[in-house]
Amino acid sequence: MRHCLAATLALFAPGLTLADAAAQPRRDSLTIGLSQYPGNFHPNIENMAAKAYLLGFALRPVTAYDADWQQGCLACTRLPSLENGQAVLETTPDGRPGIRVTWELRALNWGDGTPVTAEDMRFAWEAGRAFETGFGPAETYRSAYEFSSDDPRRFTIRFDKVTFDYAGLGQFQPLPARIERPRWEADRAGYRTRSAYETETANPALWNGPYRIAAVQPGAGVTLERNAHWTGPAPAFDRIAIRTVENTAALEAQLLAGQIDMVAGELGLPLEQVVALERRAGARFRFAYNPGLTYEHIDLNLDNPLLADRRVRQALLLAADRAQIVARLYGGRQEVAAGAVHPRDAGYDPDTPAWPFDPARAAALLEEAGWRPGPDGVRRNAAGDRLAFELMTTAGNRSREQVQQILAGMWKAVGVEARIRNEPPRVFFGETVSRRRFTGGALFAWVSSPENVPRSTFHSDEIPRAERNWSGQNYTGYRDAGVDALIEALPLELDAAKRRPLWARLQRRIATDLPALPLWHRSDAHVWPLWLDGVRPTGHQNYSSLWVTEWRAR
């Protein structure tokens, strides 16, 4: 059973009476601060937290996990299951176990009034199946070998494998075929930069959620307005402005000055900054701290010969006093991570190697790997190469920049030099990380869904490369046949109890190899105005913005 980690909110904040609330003027707009700007706006290309949060207002995926960590329908009428007959086990044409799954779309319109139909799903499937398009995660499309539809609001997909999460479509979302198909057919490889989502972002016909993107200020913000053709519950606000302020100190200043109403906990202020803000201005805002499936880590580029030896990677983790960083910067509110799987997740293995702080052992491992102290304190190998690499993250994020400085100091103590170089988030995620242009370490966070099999991040077939238009998220370049086999076997086991040993083996193997250095599982810090109700943090990658119709001004 999945656990609900959403914060419990009081109906009214201290000091605000019912009479006061009734006297408040109607609020027709809401301004939200984010610390990042999307690298692009296409829902099926590249995963980025800023885009996921923003598109939650404007698009409806077929299925999603809610704040109780239960999967349900957003754009469908009923979740398919073997019991209700919408999922049927079968044999594929080549003799393998497969499954046929049918979804029925609820009445949903694009922002120009055109209904969302199965043809929009068909186009998304066709584009995803063509690797040159660069959709991800590629495995979903690869497994979905046949698409059929006998009704504008019903479609069936046949998969060449039976997975425990067969009912969910994740990021496989409908696309307006009448607009996007001609662009895709004209240039499949160039589609990711030439889609209407990039060239006509304010076109109402691209959006089917309660809001549509009405205006875009590149790098600065997005204006959302009500979708006049939305068929669901009416949202409270006529307009929502998303303002991007990449410097978190400036983001806080705008909040205090009243230039923004709230800071999204999913991608806003670092936890320690919010804790300090609550001490100073606790009566002015509502605060909630929500632990969840956001995993802070450092991806290491394993194509770098200095980082290819796992003893070096193990030494880096042993030399990092993560518990001290959590205590100093976050007041102990973050959980030190053994890996990407959260301790509250159903697949977590408590016996995963944890690598506690041990600089003496780190030094011994470096010696064993052939790295000896040099005259400048930085270790060198027999060829004279210095044990030095770049450590990158998102510029302007004060918390991450502090972590960089602390880690650099800890690594220097064992003879490793980390050179800090940062970039704006849209460049860092949109180009450097997604195309594996970082040469050393990249510090950022993954946000996952409950019991999420990490195929995209650790399977060798998911290493981004030019011929697949950089789809995939195995940015480390990690290759391990045993890990590939476990990742392939895990989704096929429908019995949750039988999946646990597979999860344990996978976590232990990755935690030994350490293609990425685990730091901690984040607690998101939400800051809301006193007059806003109904926001339910989810703690995973299906963000609270997907349920914006539950938000209310009082």
Side-chain angles (χ1 to χ4, degrees):
M1 181 177 179
R2 296 184 176 94
H3 304 284
C4 173
L5 299 181
T8 301
L9 306 178
L11 179 61
F12 286 98
L16 187 67
T17 67
L18 285 167
D20 291 332
Q24 295 291 327
R26 177 181 179 272
R27 300 180 186 273
D28 60 3
S29 66
L30 176 70
T31 302
I32 303 172
L34 289 184
S35 60
Q36 293 178 14
Y37 187 82
N40 66 57
F41 289 92
H42 197 293
N44 297 28
I45 294 177
E46 293 179 5
N47 296 324
M48 186 178 178
K51 179 170 67 174
Y53 182 81
L54 195 154
L55 297 191
F57 297 105
L59 286 175
R60 280 295 163 271
V62 179
T63 62
Y65 285 94
D66 62 18
D68 298 322
W69 292 24
Q70 299 299 311
Q71 186 165 235
C73 281
L74 286 188
C76 54
T77 58
R78 184 171 66 163
L79 201 65
S81 71
L82 295 170
E83 291 73 22
N84 66 26
Q86 287 181 224
V88 179
L89 298 175
E90 61 179 14
T91 301
T92 67
D94 59 359
R96 290 187 290 172
I99 190 167
R100 183 174 72 250
V101 188
T102 298
W103 289 266
E104 183 171 337
L105 296 170
R106 68 177 180 83
L108 202 63
N109 296 321
W110 299 103
D112 63 350
T114 306
V116 176
T117 72
E119 287 307 301
D120 299 319
M121 293 301 304
R122 184 191 301 275
F123 166 61
W125 172 77
E126 290 178 358
R129 292 275 293 173
F131 289 130
E132 65 268 30
T133 310
F135 279 15
E139 175 62 14
T140 301
Y141 300 99
R142 187 181 302 121
S143 178
Y145 69 91
E146 182 181 290
F147 184 102
S148 62
S149 174
D150 59 3
D151 183 276
R153 285 174 51 189
R154 187 167 55 245
F155 64 95
T156 298
I157 299 178
R158 299 176 76 184
F159 296 91
D160 64 6
K161 60 185 66 173
V162 184
T163 64
F164 68 82
D165 57 350
Y166 63 82
L169 281 174
Q171 293 168 316
F172 179 1
Q173 297 197 42
L175 300 171
R178 68 197 183 284
I179 295 173
E180 294 296 281
R181 183 183 289 280
R183 293 169 178 263
W184 176 70
E185 290 179 343
D187 183 3
R188 293 186 178 191
Y191 171 70
R192 63 187 293 136
T193 58
R194 297 178 182 177
S195 78
Y197 287 99
E198 295 305 293
T199 60
E200 302 174 18
T201 310
N203 184 341
L206 300 175
W207 312 109
N208 61 28
Y211 291 92
R212 63 179 179 85
I213 293 180
V216 173
Q217 292 178 281
V222 171
T223 300
L224 299 151
E225 293 183 355
R226 285 189 190 222
N227 175 1
H229 299 281
W230 167 247
T231 57
F237 304 100
D238 297 335
R239 186 178 306 102
I240 294 178
I242 307 293
R243 184 170 297 172
T244 299
V245 185
E246 292 179 347
N247 183 288
T248 55
L251 180 59
E252 179 183 329
Q254 291 197 21
L255 176 71
L256 291 170
Q259 296 170 313
I260 58 177
D261 297 313
M262 66 176 272
V263 175
E266 290 89 345
L267 197 68
L269 297 172
L271 184 143
E272 79 284 358
Q273 194 172 343
V274 174
V275 170
L277 175 64
E278 185 175 16
R279 286 197 296 264
R280 301 193 316 272
R284 291 184 54 186
F285 305 98
R286 302 168 72 193
F287 297 83
Y289 302 92
N290 186 49
L293 302 178
T294 303
Y295 162 63
E296 198 83 6
H297 69 289
I298 300 172
D299 268 8
L300 298 174
N301 191 326
L302 305 189
D303 293 341
N304 183 335
L306 306 181
L307 300 170
D309 189 329
R310 76 177 183 184
R311 291 172 296 184
V312 172
R313 304 193 295 270
Q314 292 169 351
L316 290 174
L317 196 56
L318 286 165
D321 192 347
R322 293 169 293 160
Q324 183 190 101
I325 295 174
V326 165
R328 283 173 54 188
L329 294 187
Y330 307 115
R333 289 178 182 259
Q334 316 273 46
E335 289 185 80
V336 173
V341 182
H342 194 282
R344 296 182 181 87
D345 201 297
Y348 177 69
D349 172 35
D351 295 322
T352 300
W355 302 102
F357 179 56
D358 191 340
R361 187 179 170 199
L365 275 174
L366 293 174
E367 292 281 340
E368 180 184 313
W371 294 97
R372 307 283 185 266
D376 59 355
V378 178
R379 291 178 180 269
R380 286 170 167 77
N381 60 14
D385 300 317
R386 300 171 78 249
L387 188 48
F389 62 90
E390 280 190 345
L391 179 60
M392 302 184 67
T393 194
T394 49
N397 187 309
R398 187 169 69 182
S399 176
R400 285 182 176 152
E401 290 172 342
Q402 284 180 301
V403 170
Q404 279 180 306
Q405 296 288 344
I406 295 170
L407 286 175
M410 291 175 173
W411 289 336
K412 183 178 180 181
V414 296
V416 181
E417 180 182 54
R419 300 187 300 268
I420 294 172
R421 184 174 73 85
N422 297 332
E423 294 176 335
R426 59 188 178 279
V427 178
F428 179 70
F429 290 116
E431 297 290 335
T432 302
V433 173
S434 63
R435 301 198 176 203
R436 301 190 66 228
R437 291 176 178 169
F438 65 100
T439 59
L443 193 166
F444 62 100
W446 284 123
V447 186
S448 66
S449 56
E451 204 172 354
N452 182 62
V453 179
R455 180 184 178 96
S456 185
T457 52
F458 289 123
H459 196 287
S460 61
D461 202 38
E462 299 292 336
I463 299 171
R465 49 192 188 271
E467 58 267 30
R468 288 197 178 174
N469 214 352
W470 308 105
S471 67
Q473 296 170 311
N474 184 349
Y475 303 137
T476 65
Y478 182 53
R479 296 171 176 85
D480 184 279
V483 166
D484 287 353
L486 285 166
I487 286 174
E488 290 165 9
L490 249 174
L492 306 182
E493 180 52 70
L494 304 188
D495 187 316
K498 293 180 180 178
R499 283 199 300 274
R500 281 196 284 272
L502 298 175
W503 271 116
R505 288 166 57 196
L506 178 63
Q507 288 167 79
R508 293 173 196 181
R509 192 148 186 162
I510 291 174
T512 300
D513 282 350
L514 293 177
L517 303 182
L519 296 178
W520 39 79
H521 298 286
R522 272 190 0 212
S523 289
D524 293 333
H526 298 260
V527 187
W528 302 312
L530 298 175
W531 46 264
L532 181 65
D533 271 333
V535 185
R536 292 189 70 204
T538 65
H540 53 71
Q541 65 182 356
N542 297 137
Y543 290 142
S544 61
S545 52
L546 282 168
W547 290 272
V548 66
T549 55
E550 299 177 6
W551 299 11
R552 288 291 177 263
R554 60 177 190 218

